[in-house]
Amino acid sequence: QMYRVIAPWTTANPIFMHVVSKNDAEVYHAIDQCAATGYEALILSFGSHINMEDVSAKNIDRCAKLADYAHKKGIRIGIYSLFSSRRISEKDDVINPKTGKTGGAFFGNAPCFGSKWGLAYRDKVKTFFTETKFDIWENDGPYPGDLCASTTHPGHRDVEDSQWRQIEIQKGLYHWLNARGVYIN
């Protein structure tokens, strides 16, 4: 009872299954398995065939059908997204203040959340969850702490405000998702 009062989010963790899917048929099968065995949610894990950054009408429609099917079975559905530990481009990755070049982020290469790509990523996440009605977002980064020395990224001024602005962009996205009932894993 104490935890429900002082930290209610600790009692709100759904029982979920991770699946690495190669096609939609595997997702439908996993949803059926979840419903049959008492799981509350399914997360399409790292390496799955669905790309939530693809906000084309075809992909959104396909994913919305998966979500509708899951919801009819009483299952919440989620998706994994990799932000950090990948290289996007010279103009969008974190610029290392020591070298003036990309690389050297906490996990090697990482895009800057304040870059054009990073801000577009945020908007794609919002579009995906709005249009598909997915319920869970399992995101991998960005991890607070990366400094970015770029002076051309629209989401921050320079290295001095880069860390703070990136965290503010991330918090804004988390607040937006949370206000819509999306569970963030």
Side-chain angles (χ1 to χ4, degrees):
Q1 186 175 14
M2 177 192 73
Y3 287 113
R4 281 192 287 278
V5 172
I6 66 168
W9 57 88
T10 62
T11 63
N13 297 324
I15 300 169
F16 53 80
M17 175 197 304
H18 275 98
V19 67
V20 177
S21 61
K22 295 181 189 90
N23 55 57
D24 290 356
E26 290 179 349
V27 178
Y28 286 113
H29 179 68
I31 291 167
D32 291 339
Q33 286 180 315
C34 286
T37 58
Y39 280 82
E40 297 170 293
L42 173 73
I43 297 178
L44 304 175
S45 198
F46 180 76
S48 289
H49 76 295
I50 293 178
N51 175 8
M52 66 160 284
E53 294 173 43
D54 175 1
V55 292
S56 68
K58 181 179 178 182
N59 191 55
I60 293 293
D61 182 57
R62 189 179 101 215
C63 292
K65 288 176 182 169
L66 292 171
D68 287 344
Y69 184 79
H71 295 153
K72 286 177 185 166
K73 295 281 188 164
I75 303 298
R76 295 194 287 175
I77 188 167
I79 190 162
Y80 170 92
S81 178
L82 177 67
F83 184 98
S84 292
S85 305
R86 69 178 184 170
R87 182 164 172 64
I88 302 301
S89 69
E90 288 293 317
K91 66 180 181 174
D92 292 303
D93 283 5
V94 167
I95 303 297
N96 186 328
K98 293 177 184 171
T99 66
K101 298 179 180 179
T102 59
F106 279 116
F107 296 100
N109 284 307
C112 175
F113 219 157
S115 69
K116 284 184 182 180
W117 181 92
L119 297 173
Y121 172 89
R122 175 203 57 201
D123 295 343
K124 288 176 182 179
V125 170
K126 288 180 176 183
T127 298
F128 182 86
F129 280 94
T130 298
E131 300 295 323
T132 65
K133 307 298 186 236
F134 266 51
D135 310 287
I136 298 172
W137 186 37
E138 179 167 273
N139 77 308
D140 195 348
Y143 299 104
D146 279 328
L147 296 171
C148 180
S150 174
T151 58
T152 62
H153 290 168
H156 66 89
R157 184 186 64 244
D158 56 26
V159 69
E160 297 301 321
D161 73 334
S162 66
Q163 188 179 46
W164 176 257
R165 292 299 309 137
Q166 289 182 78
I167 292 169
E168 287 297 305
I169 295 165
Q170 185 174 9
K171 282 179 8 186
L173 179 58
Y174 282 9
H175 290 169
W176 185 91
L177 289 163
N178 187 269
R180 283 148 186 81
V182 174
Y183 178 79
I184 302 167
N185 189 36

Short mmCIF file of all heavy atoms in Angstrom, two decimals, residues 25-65:
data_model
loop_
_atom_site.label_atom_id
_atom_site.label_comp_id
_atom_site.label_asym_id
_atom_site.label_seq_id
_atom_site.Cartn_x
_atom_site.Cartn_y
_atom_site.Cartn_z
N ALA A 25 2.39 -12.03 -39.51
CA ALA A 25 1.80 -13.28 -39.04
C ALA A 25 2.38 -13.67 -37.68
O ALA A 25 1.64 -14.15 -36.80
CB ALA A 25 2.02 -14.39 -40.06
N GLU A 26 3.67 -13.46 -37.49
CA GLU A 26 4.28 -13.77 -36.19
C GLU A 26 3.74 -12.87 -35.09
O GLU A 26 3.58 -13.30 -33.95
CB GLU A 26 5.81 -13.63 -36.28
CG GLU A 26 6.47 -14.71 -37.10
CD GLU A 26 7.97 -14.54 -37.20
OE1 GLU A 26 8.53 -13.50 -36.80
OE2 GLU A 26 8.61 -15.49 -37.68
N VAL A 27 3.42 -11.63 -35.43
CA VAL A 27 2.87 -10.71 -34.44
C VAL A 27 1.46 -11.15 -34.04
O VAL A 27 1.13 -11.21 -32.85
CB VAL A 27 2.87 -9.26 -34.96
CG1 VAL A 27 2.25 -8.31 -33.94
CG2 VAL A 27 4.29 -8.81 -35.30
N TYR A 28 0.64 -11.48 -35.03
CA TYR A 28 -0.72 -11.96 -34.72
C TYR A 28 -0.67 -13.21 -33.85
O TYR A 28 -1.43 -13.35 -32.88
CB TYR A 28 -1.51 -12.23 -36.01
CG TYR A 28 -1.95 -10.98 -36.72
CD1 TYR A 28 -1.41 -10.65 -37.96
CD2 TYR A 28 -2.90 -10.14 -36.18
CE1 TYR A 28 -1.81 -9.50 -38.64
CE2 TYR A 28 -3.31 -8.98 -36.83
CZ TYR A 28 -2.77 -8.67 -38.07
OH TYR A 28 -3.17 -7.53 -38.72
N HIS A 29 0.23 -14.11 -34.17
CA HIS A 29 0.39 -15.34 -33.38
C HIS A 29 0.82 -15.01 -31.94
O HIS A 29 0.29 -15.58 -30.98
CB HIS A 29 1.40 -16.28 -34.05
CG HIS A 29 1.64 -17.55 -33.30
ND1 HIS A 29 0.68 -18.53 -33.17
CD2 HIS A 29 2.74 -17.99 -32.63
CE1 HIS A 29 1.18 -19.52 -32.44
NE2 HIS A 29 2.43 -19.21 -32.11
N ALA A 30 1.75 -14.09 -31.79
CA ALA A 30 2.22 -13.70 -30.45
C ALA A 30 1.10 -13.03 -29.65
O ALA A 30 0.99 -13.24 -28.43
CB ALA A 30 3.44 -12.79 -30.55
N ILE A 31 0.27 -12.23 -30.31
CA ILE A 31 -0.87 -11.62 -29.63
C ILE A 31 -1.81 -12.71 -29.12
O ILE A 31 -2.27 -12.66 -27.97
CB ILE A 31 -1.61 -10.63 -30.57
CG1 ILE A 31 -0.74 -9.41 -30.85
CG2 ILE A 31 -2.96 -10.23 -29.98
CD1 ILE A 31 -1.23 -8.54 -32.01
N ASP A 32 -2.08 -13.70 -29.96
CA ASP A 32 -2.92 -14.82 -29.55
C ASP A 32 -2.31 -15.56 -28.35
O ASP A 32 -3.02 -15.94 -27.42
CB ASP A 32 -3.14 -15.80 -30.70
CG ASP A 32 -4.02 -15.23 -31.81
OD1 ASP A 32 -4.78 -14.26 -31.54
OD2 ASP A 32 -3.94 -15.74 -32.95
N GLN A 33 -1.00 -15.75 -28.38
CA GLN A 33 -0.31 -16.41 -27.26
C GLN A 33 -0.45 -15.59 -25.99
O GLN A 33 -0.70 -16.14 -24.91
CB GLN A 33 1.18 -16.60 -27.58
CG GLN A 33 1.46 -17.68 -28.57
CD GLN A 33 2.96 -17.81 -28.82
OE1 GLN A 33 3.65 -16.80 -29.01
NE2 GLN A 33 3.45 -19.03 -28.83
N CYS A 34 -0.29 -14.29 -26.08
CA CYS A 34 -0.44 -13.41 -24.92
C CYS A 34 -1.84 -13.54 -24.33
O CYS A 34 -2.00 -13.68 -23.11
CB CYS A 34 -0.16 -11.95 -25.28
SG CYS A 34 1.58 -11.58 -25.55
N ALA A 35 -2.83 -13.48 -25.18
CA ALA A 35 -4.22 -13.57 -24.72
C ALA A 35 -4.49 -14.92 -24.06
O ALA A 35 -5.20 -14.99 -23.05
CB ALA A 35 -5.18 -13.33 -25.87
N ALA A 36 -3.91 -15.98 -24.60
CA ALA A 36 -4.15 -17.33 -24.08
C ALA A 36 -3.43 -17.61 -22.77
O ALA A 36 -3.88 -18.46 -21.99
CB ALA A 36 -3.74 -18.36 -25.13
N THR A 37 -2.35 -16.89 -22.52
CA THR A 37 -1.53 -17.22 -21.35
C THR A 37 -1.56 -16.17 -20.25
O THR A 37 -0.85 -16.29 -19.26
CB THR A 37 -0.07 -17.46 -21.77
OG1 THR A 37 0.43 -16.30 -22.43
CG2 THR A 37 0.05 -18.67 -22.68
N GLY A 38 -2.33 -15.10 -20.42
CA GLY A 38 -2.48 -14.12 -19.36
C GLY A 38 -1.53 -12.94 -19.41
O GLY A 38 -1.50 -12.13 -18.48
N TYR A 39 -0.77 -12.82 -20.48
CA TYR A 39 0.06 -11.62 -20.62
C TYR A 39 -0.85 -10.43 -20.89
O TYR A 39 -1.91 -10.56 -21.48
CB TYR A 39 1.05 -11.78 -21.78
CG TYR A 39 2.27 -12.61 -21.43
CD1 TYR A 39 2.21 -14.00 -21.46
CD2 TYR A 39 3.46 -12.00 -21.08
CE1 TYR A 39 3.31 -14.76 -21.14
CE2 TYR A 39 4.57 -12.75 -20.78
CZ TYR A 39 4.50 -14.13 -20.80
OH TYR A 39 5.59 -14.88 -20.49
N GLU A 40 -0.37 -9.27 -20.49
CA GLU A 40 -1.15 -8.05 -20.69
C GLU A 40 -0.71 -7.27 -21.93
O GLU A 40 -1.47 -6.44 -22.43
CB GLU A 40 -1.01 -7.15 -19.46
CG GLU A 40 -1.56 -7.78 -18.20
CD GLU A 40 -1.19 -6.98 -16.97
OE1 GLU A 40 0.01 -6.93 -16.64
OE2 GLU A 40 -2.12 -6.41 -16.37
N ALA A 41 0.51 -7.53 -22.39
CA ALA A 41 1.05 -6.72 -23.48
C ALA A 41 2.09 -7.49 -24.27
O ALA A 41 2.69 -8.44 -23.78
CB ALA A 41 1.66 -5.44 -22.92
N LEU A 42 2.29 -7.01 -25.48
CA LEU A 42 3.31 -7.55 -26.38
C LEU A 42 4.17 -6.38 -26.86
O LEU A 42 3.64 -5.34 -27.25
CB LEU A 42 2.65 -8.21 -27.59
CG LEU A 42 3.59 -8.67 -28.71
CD1 LEU A 42 4.36 -9.90 -28.26
CD2 LEU A 42 2.81 -8.94 -29.98
N ILE A 43 5.48 -6.55 -26.80
CA ILE A 43 6.39 -5.53 -27.31
C ILE A 43 7.17 -6.13 -28.48
O ILE A 43 7.80 -7.18 -28.34
CB ILE A 43 7.36 -5.02 -26.23
CG1 ILE A 43 6.58 -4.32 -25.11
CG2 ILE A 43 8.39 -4.07 -26.85
CD1 ILE A 43 7.45 -3.83 -23.97
N LEU A 44 7.11 -5.45 -29.62
CA LEU A 44 7.92 -5.84 -30.76
C LEU A 44 9.32 -5.34 -30.48
O LEU A 44 9.59 -4.14 -30.49
CB LEU A 44 7.35 -5.24 -32.04
CG LEU A 44 5.89 -5.61 -32.31
CD1 LEU A 44 5.37 -4.89 -33.53
CD2 LEU A 44 5.74 -7.10 -32.43
N SER A 45 10.21 -6.25 -30.22
CA SER A 45 11.52 -5.95 -29.68
C SER A 45 12.54 -5.56 -30.75
O SER A 45 12.24 -5.57 -31.94
CB SER A 45 12.02 -7.15 -28.87
OG SER A 45 13.05 -6.78 -28.00
N PHE A 46 13.74 -5.24 -30.28
CA PHE A 46 14.86 -4.89 -31.15
C PHE A 46 15.03 -5.95 -32.22
O PHE A 46 15.05 -7.13 -31.93
CB PHE A 46 16.14 -4.78 -30.30
CG PHE A 46 17.36 -4.43 -31.09
CD1 PHE A 46 17.57 -3.14 -31.52
CD2 PHE A 46 18.30 -5.39 -31.41
CE1 PHE A 46 18.70 -2.80 -32.26
CE2 PHE A 46 19.44 -5.07 -32.13
CZ PHE A 46 19.63 -3.77 -32.56
N GLY A 47 15.15 -5.52 -33.46
CA GLY A 47 15.33 -6.45 -34.57
C GLY A 47 14.03 -6.89 -35.22
O GLY A 47 14.05 -7.69 -36.15
N SER A 48 12.90 -6.37 -34.75
CA SER A 48 11.63 -6.73 -35.36
C SER A 48 11.48 -6.06 -36.72
O SER A 48 12.17 -5.09 -37.04
CB SER A 48 10.47 -6.35 -34.45
OG SER A 48 10.43 -7.20 -33.33
N HIS A 49 10.52 -6.55 -37.48
CA HIS A 49 10.35 -6.12 -38.87
C HIS A 49 9.65 -4.78 -39.02
O HIS A 49 9.63 -4.22 -40.11
CB HIS A 49 9.60 -7.19 -39.65
CG HIS A 49 8.13 -7.25 -39.39
ND1 HIS A 49 7.60 -7.59 -38.16
CD2 HIS A 49 7.07 -6.98 -40.19
CE1 HIS A 49 6.29 -7.56 -38.23
NE2 HIS A 49 5.93 -7.19 -39.44
N ILE A 50 9.10 -4.23 -37.96
CA ILE A 50 8.37 -2.98 -38.08
C ILE A 50 9.27 -1.81 -37.71
O ILE A 50 9.96 -1.83 -36.70
CB ILE A 50 7.12 -3.00 -37.17
CG1 ILE A 50 6.14 -4.04 -37.73
CG2 ILE A 50 6.48 -1.63 -37.10
CD1 ILE A 50 4.90 -4.20 -36.92
N ASN A 51 9.22 -0.79 -38.54
CA ASN A 51 10.02 0.41 -38.33
C ASN A 51 9.07 1.55 -37.97
O ASN A 51 8.36 2.06 -38.84
CB ASN A 51 10.82 0.74 -39.59
CG ASN A 51 11.57 2.04 -39.49
OD1 ASN A 51 11.65 2.67 -38.43
ND2 ASN A 51 12.16 2.46 -40.60
N MET A 52 9.05 1.96 -36.71
CA MET A 52 8.12 3.01 -36.29
C MET A 52 8.51 4.38 -36.84
O MET A 52 7.71 5.30 -36.79
CB MET A 52 7.99 3.07 -34.77
CG MET A 52 9.25 3.49 -34.08
SD MET A 52 8.97 4.10 -32.43
CE MET A 52 8.33 5.68 -32.82
N GLU A 53 9.71 4.51 -37.37
CA GLU A 53 10.12 5.77 -37.98
C GLU A 53 9.55 5.93 -39.39
O GLU A 53 9.60 7.01 -39.97
CB GLU A 53 11.64 5.88 -38.01
CG GLU A 53 12.25 5.98 -36.63
CD GLU A 53 13.76 5.91 -36.65
OE1 GLU A 53 14.38 6.57 -37.52
OE2 GLU A 53 14.33 5.19 -35.81
N ASP A 54 8.98 4.85 -39.92
CA ASP A 54 8.32 4.89 -41.22
C ASP A 54 6.87 5.31 -40.97
O ASP A 54 6.06 4.51 -40.52
CB ASP A 54 8.38 3.52 -41.89
CG ASP A 54 7.60 3.44 -43.19
OD1 ASP A 54 7.01 4.46 -43.62
OD2 ASP A 54 7.58 2.34 -43.77
N VAL A 55 6.57 6.57 -41.25
CA VAL A 55 5.21 7.07 -41.00
C VAL A 55 4.43 7.19 -42.31
O VAL A 55 3.48 7.96 -42.41
CB VAL A 55 5.22 8.40 -40.21
CG1 VAL A 55 5.70 8.17 -38.79
CG2 VAL A 55 6.06 9.46 -40.90
N SER A 56 4.81 6.35 -43.28
CA SER A 56 4.04 6.30 -44.53
C SER A 56 2.66 5.74 -44.23
O SER A 56 2.45 5.00 -43.26
CB SER A 56 4.75 5.41 -45.56
OG SER A 56 4.73 4.05 -45.13
N ALA A 57 1.70 6.10 -45.06
CA ALA A 57 0.32 5.64 -44.87
C ALA A 57 0.25 4.12 -44.84
O ALA A 57 -0.50 3.54 -44.03
CB ALA A 57 -0.58 6.20 -45.96
N LYS A 58 1.02 3.46 -45.68
CA LYS A 58 1.00 1.99 -45.75
C LYS A 58 1.46 1.38 -44.43
O LYS A 58 0.83 0.46 -43.90
CB LYS A 58 1.88 1.52 -46.91
CG LYS A 58 1.92 0.03 -47.09
CD LYS A 58 2.80 -0.37 -48.26
CE LYS A 58 2.87 -1.88 -48.39
NZ LYS A 58 3.74 -2.30 -49.49
N ASN A 59 2.57 1.87 -43.88
CA ASN A 59 3.08 1.33 -42.63
C ASN A 59 2.15 1.65 -41.46
O ASN A 59 1.89 0.80 -40.61
CB ASN A 59 4.49 1.85 -42.35
CG ASN A 59 5.15 1.11 -41.20
OD1 ASN A 59 5.26 -0.12 -41.21
ND2 ASN A 59 5.57 1.85 -40.19
N ILE A 60 1.66 2.87 -41.41
CA ILE A 60 0.75 3.27 -40.33
C ILE A 60 -0.51 2.40 -40.36
O ILE A 60 -0.96 1.90 -39.32
CB ILE A 60 0.38 4.77 -40.43
CG1 ILE A 60 1.62 5.63 -40.15
CG2 ILE A 60 -0.77 5.13 -39.52
CD1 ILE A 60 2.15 5.58 -38.74
N ASP A 61 -1.08 2.20 -41.55
CA ASP A 61 -2.29 1.37 -41.68
C ASP A 61 -2.02 -0.06 -41.21
O ASP A 61 -2.82 -0.65 -40.48
CB ASP A 61 -2.77 1.39 -43.13
CG ASP A 61 -4.05 0.60 -43.32
OD1 ASP A 61 -5.05 0.92 -42.63
OD2 ASP A 61 -4.05 -0.35 -44.13
N ARG A 62 -0.89 -0.61 -41.63
CA ARG A 62 -0.53 -1.98 -41.24
C ARG A 62 -0.39 -2.10 -39.72
O ARG A 62 -0.91 -3.02 -39.10
CB ARG A 62 0.78 -2.37 -41.92
CG ARG A 62 1.12 -3.82 -41.75
CD ARG A 62 2.41 -4.15 -42.46
NE ARG A 62 3.42 -4.17 -41.43
CZ ARG A 62 4.66 -3.78 -41.57
NH1 ARG A 62 5.09 -3.29 -42.69
NH2 ARG A 62 5.50 -3.87 -40.59
N CYS A 63 0.28 -1.13 -39.11
CA CYS A 63 0.49 -1.16 -37.66
C CYS A 63 -0.81 -0.92 -36.90
O CYS A 63 -1.04 -1.50 -35.84
CB CYS A 63 1.57 -0.15 -37.27
SG CYS A 63 3.20 -0.61 -37.88
N ALA A 64 -1.67 -0.05 -37.44
CA ALA A 64 -2.97 0.20 -36.80
C ALA A 64 -3.81 -1.07 -36.78
O ALA A 64 -4.52 -1.34 -35.79
CB ALA A 64 -3.70 1.32 -37.52
N LYS A 65 -3.71 -1.88 -37.82
CA LYS A 65 -4.44 -3.16 -37.86
C LYS A 65 -3.91 -4.11 -36.79
O LYS A 65 -4.68 -4.83 -36.15
CB LYS A 65 -4.36 -3.78 -39.24
CG LYS A 65 -5.20 -3.04 -40.26
CD LYS A 65 -5.04 -3.61 -41.65
CE LYS A 65 -5.87 -2.79 -42.64
NZ LYS A 65 -5.60 -3.11 -44.03
#
